[in-house]
Amino acid sequence: MEKERIEELERKISSLEEDVAKLKSLVYKTNSSRPAVHAPPKQRQETAKRPAQTVAKSSQAIEEPVDWEKVLFQTWLPRIFIFVFIIGVLWGFKAASDYGLMNENAKVVLGFVVSIGFAVTGHFQIKKSRLVLGQVLVGGAIPILMLTTFAMHSLYHLAGPTLAFMLNATWIILGIAATVFYRSQALGIISAVGGVLVPFLIESNSPNALVFIGYETLLYIAFLYVAVKQKYSILYVLSAVLLNLTLLIYYSFVGDNGVKELLGMAILIQHLCLLSSFFLSKSVLQIYAFTLLSSLAVTYGWLLAVFNDGTTTLVLLALVIIYVLGAYAARSSKEKFEFFITYLIVAVAFFIHQLVDLREGVILYVIQGLAVYYIAMTYKNLLHQLFSYTIYILSATYILVTPIEEVLSLPTLNWLIVLASILVFIWISIQKTEEDEHDTFKIGGSIIFSILSLIFATEVTVAGTTDLSANIQTLIMTAVWLVLSIAAFIIGSLKTFKTSTYVGVGILFLTLFKLVLYDLPFIPMAIRALLFIVLGAIGLIISRLFYKKK
């Protein structure tokens, strides 16, 4: 099917080129007596054989110049001056009230009339294809309606809280309907901003937390549905941000007061809605994916703020299970599967943080970082690689800077696991990359492993020899370094890990420098002679083995 379409397109291109050649010949005959110039048949055939993709790219390469007059005067000018006009209307009402030219009832009626006039005028402007101007006028009607209702209720006391709330809810519904009818994201944004402000514009002697949080949550779900249905990315993100911001402001004023659980439920509902919209979307939209990732981090922050530790742990466990099921259900879509793995990684990290103390459970993050790295290298996902590096490096650094005070202790165990994880890290890299990259991982990983092994051996030796004299400590330290050097050389003598040979020689030279620059003043002459004899003999033996290998 695809081959037939390409052949048909090639035939059409060939026919068009012949027509163009004929037109050129006619033009040449008209303007001069020169014969018409036709493309050679061979050239026409070569042109006709070009892939359709090349033709498409060449057509896309021609970009139309930006019409700045249209951008400035038709798009941004009405958007800016609609706000100027609304401010002018408000000041006009204020001036008319100050001079006694208009009573409260008249101002309310005039506010509704102006808003209706905006909506009607905007509708006809859209009909005449003046889309931006018309959408701005219709959008301007929504805040005027809400401000008029606010004045009628809070300033003039012409309506109670119930009537004011019902009117404002009606204006929001009209805004949503206009957003869908006129296919205007700007209308949706104006309506969303106005909608979240409605409860703050209503004065009530007995505010109800359930009504407030329930209204904001339902409003968010409505705008989320519109954003997904119409593919409005800005409205999609903005509605999520507005819900969190509104609930945060409400929480800062109300405090605990029995509303924490309601706030937590609202945030969980939002996260599940974002999860559903991402899972059910036919195509993978990056804005959906990264909004859900941000929501996961924000949701964890809310959980810590509003729930106790037990509830937070259970909710995180539920999220981990949900993401496991999501990854399984989305396994046929590579992009969705990889994103679900990302969410699972983050959720597991939060779960580990919630489940265990950092000092005791930091090694779990090292293991998680390795697991994420394996997944990232398997699926060649750059985002997962960044996550794995971040988790692994932060957790490993925390372990490495924790001092070893006793030989048999948790920090010692953590150090050993980190050293082992480096070897696993190198193995994964070698298994999952091309052969020309293997030496880089072998050399770099071996050097890092050797340096950390030297530091670990030093810390353990110091912790185990605290009760001994300085001379004995120095001798034991030098002996440990020599043992590491010999061990590295033995491992490096194997064909599969030759890099370690050079690491062993490097440690040997470090031991020599340590003896010369640091240990000599603390070591008696006899022991100093013995150490230099042993060190020199080891160096000569290693040199002889190199010759033997050659």
Side-chain angles (χ1 to χ4, degrees), residues 63-75:
E63 296 182 358
E64 295 183 1
V66 178
D67 189 350
W68 289 108
E69 182 177 332
K70 180 178 180 181
V71 171
L72 293 175
F73 298 124
Q74 295 185 21
T75 302

Side-chain angles (χ1 to χ4, degrees), residues 146 165 168-169 172 194-199 209-221 243:
M146 295 181 62
F165 183 83
N168 276 319
I172 298 306
V196 299
L197 294 177
V198 165
L210 179 60
V211 172
F212 176 88
I213 297 173
Y215 164 81
E216 295 289 354
T217 305
L218 291 175
L219 184 72
Y220 165 74
I221 295 173
L243 178 63

Side-chain angles (χ1 to χ4, degrees), residues 303-304 307-318 351 354-355:
L303 292 176
L304 293 176
F307 288 143
N308 57 43
D309 290 341
T311 304
T312 301
T313 304
L314 290 176
V315 172
L316 288 174
L317 177 60
F351 182 70
Q354 186 67 26
L355 197 63

Side-chain angles (χ1 to χ4, degrees), residues 200-384:
F200 297 100
L201 301 178
I202 306 298
E203 291 184 357
S204 178
N205 295 325
S206 56
N208 191 311
L210 179 60
V211 172
F212 176 88
I213 297 173
Y215 164 81
E216 295 289 354
T217 305
L218 291 175
L219 184 72
Y220 165 74
I221 295 173
F223 280 106
L224 175 69
Y225 177 79
V226 173
V228 172
K229 199 73 175 176
Q230 303 296 326
K231 293 182 172 59
Y232 293 153
S233 58
I234 298 177
L235 182 61
Y236 184 88
V237 176
L238 182 65
S239 58
V241 173
L242 286 175
L243 178 63
N244 281 276
L245 187 60
T246 304
L247 297 182
L248 183 61
I249 294 173
Y250 180 77
Y251 181 56
S252 64
F253 280 105
V254 176
D256 188 354
N257 205 20
V259 301
K260 284 187 173 182
E261 289 75 12
L262 292 175
L263 292 170
M265 290 300 298
I267 295 300
L268 286 175
I269 290 172
Q270 180 196 50
H271 188 70
L272 293 176
C273 288
L274 290 172
L275 176 61
S276 301
S277 64
F278 172 72
F279 181 77
L280 296 175
S281 61
K282 294 181 180 179
S283 59
V284 178
L285 299 179
Q286 300 294 322
I287 194 68
Y288 288 11
F290 288 105
T291 301
L292 181 58
L293 182 60
S294 302
S295 173
L296 179 56
V298 173
T299 299
Y300 181 54
W302 274 102
L303 292 176
L304 293 176
V306 300
F307 288 143
N308 57 43
D309 290 341
T311 304
T312 301
T313 304
L314 290 176
V315 172
L316 288 174
L317 177 60
L319 289 177
V320 169
I321 295 173
I322 289 172
Y323 285 127
V324 169
L325 296 175
Y328 178 78
R331 63 191 184 279
S332 58
S333 172
K334 183 177 182 295
E335 284 188 277
K336 282 188 178 181
F337 176 77
E338 291 179 353
F339 273 114
F340 268 107
I341 293 296
T342 303
Y343 306 142
L344 178 61
I345 291 166
V346 178
V348 169
F350 290 152
F351 182 70
I352 293 172
H353 179 266
Q354 186 67 26
L355 197 63
V356 297
D357 182 75
L358 181 62
R359 292 188 62 184
E360 298 176 356
V362 67
I363 200 62
L364 296 177
Y365 287 109
V366 173
I367 297 172
Q368 187 196 25
L370 272 181
V372 176
Y373 183 69
Y374 180 82
I375 294 171
M377 297 300 289
T378 300
Y379 293 99
K380 307 300 180 184
N381 187 292
L382 180 60
L383 180 63
H384 291 173

